[in-house]
């Protein structure tokens, strides 16, 4: 009874005009408060009555940050296990499925065996060991694809729903550009790493051929450059029998091979330097590339001078020491490239 009476009561509230003014008749005990406008949210999503779920957008950004952190950790493990070059092909859509049959695994392993990393570092690797590093790199690449999709697809959805303010749209576009351009940069970085491995192998072969030049005193024949005497290819290049013996016993052939390898090495180092200019690299990596280029040209200059001056001992010894310095620079660059995150 009392409750019903209270609910049905009519309350007379005086107006703000002061005493004596007509009373305002309000039904019920309390009048509803008018809706209050809320300020924009700091994430850049406009809030109003029936506004978009701000917390959903915030959680999406936090989840993307966590996914990127996971990619960094997984990439670090991939580099520590030397798995980064196990997948020699890179395609955005293909290679989504790992090899299934024994024949497919052997085919993938044969591709890996053609690269300097296998020939120089992992020449005794078994198929089982290869599967491990392959799956490490595969996991890293698939995680990268998941990060891209987890960012781009929700961003498109939120954009179409009108849940992003103009400042927020600019930030989303900037981050989306970084996500999209990370794939070609990763591809270029992988190419640079493989090229650096191949160049290091070529420098090693050049230094090895220089040992044969010193052992056979091959620097005392054909003391001219770039031609050998009056010819580009001397007549006695293959004068020894059997033919294979010329590679190790014929001074002319030994010097000819050393010339070809030396010119090829400095050409490869130059191409490596030009390729590195197209990729944003850390300061130490850029320093390693520049140092390799400088030592390579210094070594070529020493070699030509040693040849034209009939092999003076101090100059020849400096040239031999330069081969070690050049190989050291190549190994330093390979180590720095391993540290560069993909």
């Amino acid at each position: 009874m009392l409750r019903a009476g209270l609910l049905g009561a009519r309350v007379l509230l005086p107006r703000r005009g002061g005493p004596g003014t007509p009373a305002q008749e309000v039904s019920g005990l309390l009048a509803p408060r008018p809706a209050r406008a809320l300020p924009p949210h700091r994430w850049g999503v406009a809030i109003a009555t029936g506004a978009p779920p701000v917390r959903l957008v915030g959680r999406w950004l936090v989840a993307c940050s966590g996914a990127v952190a996971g990619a960094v950790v997984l990439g670090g493990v991939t580099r520590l296990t030397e798995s980064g070059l196990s997948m020699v092909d890179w395609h955005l859509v293909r290679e989504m499925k790992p090899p299934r049959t024994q024949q497919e695994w052997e085919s993938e392993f044969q591709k890996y065996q053609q690269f300097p990393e296998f020939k120089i570092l992992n020449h005794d690797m078994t198929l089982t060991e290869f599967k491990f590093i392959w799956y490490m790199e595969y996991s890293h690449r698939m995680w990268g694809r998941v990060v891209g999709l987890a960012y781009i697809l929700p961003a498109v959805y939120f954009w179409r729903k009108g849940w992003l303010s103009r400042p927020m749209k600019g930030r989303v576009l900037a981050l989306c550009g970084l996500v999209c351009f990370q794939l070609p940069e990763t591809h270029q970085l992988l190419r640079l790493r493989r090229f650096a491995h191949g160049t290091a192998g070529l420098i090693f072969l050049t230094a090895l051929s220089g040992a044969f030049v010193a052992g056979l005193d091959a620097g005392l024949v054909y003391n001219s450059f770039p031609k050998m005497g009056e010819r580009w290819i001397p007549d006695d290049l293959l004068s020894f029998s059997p033919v294979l013996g010329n590679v190790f016993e014929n001074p002319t052939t030994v010097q000819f091979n050393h010339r070809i390898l030396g010119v090829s090495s400095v050409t490869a180092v130059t191409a490596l330097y030009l390729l590195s200019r197209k990729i944003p690299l850390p300061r130490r990596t850029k320093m390693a590339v520049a140092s390799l280029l400088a030592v390579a040209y210094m070594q070529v200059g020493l070699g030509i001078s040693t040849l034209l001056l009939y092999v003076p001992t101090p100059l020849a010894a400096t040239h031999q020491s330069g081969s070690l310095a050049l190989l050291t620079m190549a190994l330093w660059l390979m180590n720095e490239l391993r540290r560069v995150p993909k």
Side-chain angles (χ1 to χ4, degrees):
M1 293 290 291
L2 178 60
R3 180 179 181 183
L6 290 175
L7 292 175
R10 306 176 69 86
V11 180
L12 297 179
L13 299 178
R15 292 184 179 177
R16 294 185 179 178
T21 58
Q24 179 183 8
E25 185 175 358
V26 181
S27 299
L29 292 177
L30 298 175
R33 294 183 179 180
R36 183 175 60 181
L38 298 177
H41 195 268
R42 63 179 180 177
W43 289 104
V45 183
I47 300 180
T49 305
V54 181
R55 291 184 178 179
L56 178 61
V57 178
R59 289 171 181 172
W60 163 63
L61 293 174
V62 172
C64 288
S65 301
V68 172
V72 173
V73 173
L74 184 57
V77 176
T78 302
R79 290 189 297 273
L80 291 174
T81 55
E82 302 293 339
S83 306
L85 297 177
S86 57
M87 299 178 68
V88 297
D89 296 324
W90 191 96
H91 302 283
L92 183 60
V93 179
R94 290 188 293 175
E95 77 181 21
M96 296 289 283
K97 296 181 180 180
R100 297 182 178 180
T101 65
Q102 182 71 13
Q103 183 178 1
E104 291 177 352
W105 274 114
E106 291 178 354
S107 176
E108 193 71 21
F109 191 31
Q110 289 176 0
K111 293 179 183 179
Y112 176 70
Q113 291 174 342
Q114 304 303 315
F115 285 83
E117 182 174 284
F118 174 82
K119 296 179 179 179
I120 299 176
L121 299 177
N122 299 327
H123 55 86
D124 57 347
M125 175 176 285
T126 64
L127 181 60
T128 302
E129 294 171 337
F130 171 72
K131 289 182 179 181
F132 172 77
I133 65 171
W134 194 95
Y135 272 119
M136 286 296 305
E137 174 64 8
Y138 176 78
S139 302
H140 187 215
R141 296 191 185 190
M142 294 303 296
W143 187 266
R145 290 181 173 91
V146 170
V147 172
L149 293 177
Y151 180 82
I152 293 175
L153 295 182
V156 173
Y157 177 76
F158 295 151
W159 190 298
R160 291 178 62 88
K161 295 288 288 186
W163 293 358
L164 305 176
S165 66
R166 180 174 296 180
M168 190 61 177
K169 288 180 179 179
R171 299 186 186 101
V172 168
L173 282 178
L175 292 175
C176 185
L178 292 177
V179 171
C180 292
F181 285 105
Q182 180 71 14
L183 299 172
E185 288 184 4
T186 299
H187 182 46
Q188 291 180 350
L189 180 59
L190 289 175
R191 287 180 55 194
L192 184 65
R193 287 176 176 174
R194 293 168 185 167
F195 198 13
H197 280 73
T199 303
L202 186 59
I203 291 173
F204 175 77
L205 291 178
T206 305
L208 187 62
S209 68
F212 285 95
V213 173
L216 295 176
D217 292 329
L220 297 176
V221 297
Y222 294 104
N223 297 94
S224 58
F225 189 86
K227 292 184 177 181
M228 298 183 71
E230 298 297 327
R231 297 176 176 274
W232 291 101
I233 301 178
D235 295 332
D236 56 341
L237 185 66
L238 301 176
S239 59
F240 284 25
S241 181
V243 177
L244 186 61
N246 290 277
V247 178
F248 306 102
E249 300 176 5
N250 189 339
T252 300
T253 308
V254 169
Q255 186 192 126
F256 180 81
N257 292 340
H258 189 60
R259 288 183 181 219
I260 297 299
L261 289 171
V263 173
S264 300
S265 295
V266 74
T267 302
V269 170
T270 304
L272 181 66
Y273 174 78
L274 296 177
L275 181 61
S276 68
R277 297 291 298 272
K278 301 179 181 180
I279 307 174
L281 296 172
R283 183 181 61 86
R284 285 177 55 90
T285 309
K286 292 181 179 180
M287 186 184 302
V289 176
S291 301
L292 178 64
L293 182 71
V295 175
Y297 278 94
M298 180 191 70
Q299 179 68 354
V300 169
L302 288 172
I304 295 175
S305 301
T306 301
L307 183 67
L308 296 180
L309 296 176
Y310 291 88
V311 196
T313 301
L315 199 58
T318 306
H319 180 58
Q320 290 179 352
S321 302
S323 64
L324 296 178
L326 184 59
L327 185 59
T328 301
M329 293 298 105
L331 295 176
W332 177 33
L333 176 59
M334 290 170 57
N335 182 65
E336 291 298 330
L337 287 174
R338 289 194 186 99
R339 300 173 181 268
V340 179
K342 292 189 292 183

